Every structure is written in C-alpha cells, then in structure tokens.
C-alpha cells in the first residue's frame, strides 16, 4: 500500500528525516513508535504532501505520489488526521463538512451520514461546538472528518495526544472498529496502541530503527528497554 525508501526531509535548512524506510501492507494497522521529536509528525506530513520530499522514494500502490498536490493525494486515497484533529470553535457537523472539501456536495453529505452511522454519538451532538465535547469524542470528530474523503490509507498523528488514559482506551477501541476496512498508520509514543497493530516501526532521530511484527517487537527486550524503559 505504501512504500518509502531512503526518505529525507525537514524544515528549511533543518534536516529531520534521514534515509527513512517504511513499508505498510494493505489493510494492516501499523503503529509508528518514537519519542518526542523523533520525526513521526514530519514523516506523516511528507506522506500527505504538507512537506516536500527532499530525496528518496514515496509510493502508494506502486505509484510515485511524491510530486502530487495534497488534494490529489487525498483523492488518490490518502487520509490524514493532524495531532489537533479538529477546529474546536466549529460544530461537529461543520468539522465533518470540512473533510469533504475535495468532494462534491452530495457526496460529502452521504459520507457525513455514514460517519454518523459509524459514530452515533456524533450524530446526537451534530450541532454542538466540537471544543465542548469530551476528549474521546473530540478525537472521534477528527477521525470522522478524515473518513469523509474515504481514504484507503489513513495517517493519524498521535491520536492519544491530550487525552487522559480513560479516553485513550476509548479511542483505541473505536479505531479497532476500522481494522480490515482500510490501512491505518498511527504515529504514537503510547505503546497501548500496539493492541490493535499488526506491525510496528520504531523511529529514532529521523531514522527507522526497527520494522516488524508486534510479536517481534514485544520479544525484543533490548529494543523495548532502550526506547520505552519497559522490561
Ligand atoms: P512529537 O511527539 O513531539 O510531535 P515527533 O516524533 O512527531 O514528535 P516531529 O514533530 O516530526 O517529531 O519533529 C521532529 C523534529 O523536527 C524536532 O526536532 C522538531 O523540533 C522539528 N520540527 C518540527 N516542526 C518543525 C517546524 N515547523 N519547523 C522547524 N522544526 C520543526
């Protein structure tokens, strides 16, 4: 679904990603683990096209997408949920509508209805200001908005960010419901997300330090201790 080889990128003169490799198979859930500043957000921004690829390869389903606009990538099936995820001052429905900017009006409404079917609690709160919802529900608005474009692959930047542990578990449960329906790439520092993952990659200093199955990661005591202080 997604193939990245020797990716370099950064901000202005500052290089953040150094020959990063990543491979994600169709319909799998991959968690990209890394500490603060490891380069996870930067990686997702290069994939969706918010930051330029400096060098290396970025392919989706075998096609080079590196030089496509963000809109073209969204149409091609790349979805993106930023760390903030929502516009807090807009209503739930207005947030969802923004997810349909690359779609025709009628199609957007169809997709909003399908998000409401999936997440009935959002339908009940469609007229509420998103910033006034609980932490878990706010994240659901972000997930819902990124589903409107009907992504084949959904990139999520730290869905746990700003959430108490209770809401983190709630978000993980809801994301589990998307399993098998699309490919998910979840950038996180919270290892609880491994519960719903098929594969893991670990990023350190803008480089891929590990890529493999959750079982391989879990059995690698050195890696776990080095990165997450867990024995
Ligand atoms: P976090 O969990 O803190 O978001 P991350 O793994 O997502 O961590 P990035 O946000 O990708 O890390 O940041 C990687 C590096 O790029 C850091 O050194 C950060 O300071 C730097 N950086 C991030 N955004 C910018 C920016 N807009 N301009 C300049 N440098 C940036």
């Amino acid at each position: 679904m997604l193939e990245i080889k020797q990716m370099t990128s950064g901000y202005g003169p500052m290089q953040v990603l150094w020959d990063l490799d990543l491979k994600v198979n169709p319909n799998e859930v991959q968690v990209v683990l890394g500490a603060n500043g490891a380069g996870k957000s930067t990686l997702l921004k290069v994939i969706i096209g918010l930051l330029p690829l400096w060098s290396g390869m970025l392919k989706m389903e075998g096609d080079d997408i590196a030089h496509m606009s963000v809109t073209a990538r969204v149409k091609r099936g790349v979805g993106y949920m930023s760390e903030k995820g929502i516009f807090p001052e807009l209503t739930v429905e207005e947030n969802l509508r923004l997810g349909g900017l690359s779609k025709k009006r009628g199609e957007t409404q169809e997709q909003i209805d399908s998000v409401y079917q999936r997440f009935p609690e959002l339908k009940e709160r469609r007229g509420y200001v998103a910033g006034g919802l609980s932490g878990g529900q706010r994240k659901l608005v972000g997930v819902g908005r990124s589903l409107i474009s009907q992504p084949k692959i959904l990139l999520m930047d730290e869905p746990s960010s700003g959430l108490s542990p209770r809401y983190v578990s709630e978000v993980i449960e809801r994301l589990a419901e998307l399993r098998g329906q699309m490919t998910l790439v979840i950038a996180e520092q919270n290892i609880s997300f491994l519960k719903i993952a098929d594969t893991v990659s670990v990023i350190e200093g803008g480089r891929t330090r590990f890529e493999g199955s959750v079982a391989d990661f879990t059995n690698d005591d050195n890696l776990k201790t080095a990165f997450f202080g867990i024995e």
Side-chain angles (χ1 to χ4, degrees):
M1 175 59 74
L2 191 70
E3 201 182 356
I4 292 172
K5 281 204 179 125
Q6 298 193 306
M7 174 184 276
T8 68
S9 188
Y11 304 85
M14 192 178 110
Q15 185 163 353
V16 172
L17 303 181
W18 301 79
D19 294 330
L20 186 141
D21 295 327
L22 195 82
K23 191 168 179 249
V24 189
N25 295 313
N27 280 340
E28 85 180 8
V29 179
Q30 175 154 166
V31 171
V32 177
L33 282 177
N36 264 335
K40 305 179 297 294
S41 306
T42 306
L43 164 66
L44 298 193
K45 284 179 188 159
V46 178
I47 302 173
I48 188 66
L50 293 171
L51 279 176
L53 177 78
W54 289 1
S55 65
M57 189 187 89
L58 170 58
K59 282 188 174 176
M60 179 180 171
E61 294 176 315
D63 296 337
D64 182 353
I65 59 164
H67 305 290
M68 290 166 76
S69 66
V70 175
T71 314
R73 290 182 214 201
V74 171
K75 285 193 173 150
R76 182 76 176 69
V78 188
Y80 172 69
M81 186 179 101
S82 68
E83 194 170 337
K84 291 227 168 60
I86 58 157
F87 292 95
E89 65 282 6
L90 299 182
T91 65
V92 168
E93 182 130 339
E94 285 164 345
N95 267 284
L96 296 181
R97 203 161 290 289
L98 283 178
L101 290 181
S102 65
K103 285 203 169 300
K104 295 197 185 94
R105 214 180 168 164
E107 283 175 25
T108 302
Q109 193 54 53
E110 246 173 58
Q111 289 313 310
I112 291 176
D113 291 342
S114 111
V115 167
Y116 285 152
Q117 242 174 6
R118 192 187 283 279
F119 304 136
E121 59 267 62
L122 296 188
K123 186 172 186 184
E124 288 163 24
R125 294 167 180 80
R126 63 203 294 171
Y128 290 23
V129 171
L133 303 181
S134 74
Q137 288 165 353
R138 280 203 298 273
K139 289 292 167 183
L140 274 196
V141 175
V143 177
R145 196 182 63 196
S146 51
L147 292 178
I148 301 287
S149 64
Q150 296 175 281
K152 290 181 184 171
I153 179 165
L154 178 51
L155 315 170
M156 313 183 98
D157 197 356
E158 275 200 74
S160 75
S161 139
L163 294 184
S164 64
R166 185 182 129 215
Y167 287 133
V168 171
S169 312
E170 195 180 303
V171 166
I172 291 175
E173 271 172 36
R174 303 314 293 268
L175 291 183
E177 294 168 17
L178 301 178
R179 276 181 67 88
Q181 298 174 23
M182 67 196 71
T183 310
L184 290 183
V185 177
I186 307 175
E188 262 300 338
Q189 24 186 332
N190 185 328
I191 58 164
S192 319
F193 282 79
L194 294 186
K195 272 186 250 165
I196 57 166
D198 300 296
T199 51
V200 195
S201 47
V202 176
I203 295 186
E204 184 194 21
R207 292 182 168 87
T208 311
R209 162 78 198 264
F210 170 89
E211 263 197 297
S213 67
V214 175
D216 288 345
F217 174 79
T218 316
N219 292 331
D220 191 329
D221 291 337
N222 291 338
L223 193 67
K224 280 194 308 181
T225 312
F227 282 87
F228 305 101
I230 38 178
E231 307 277 337

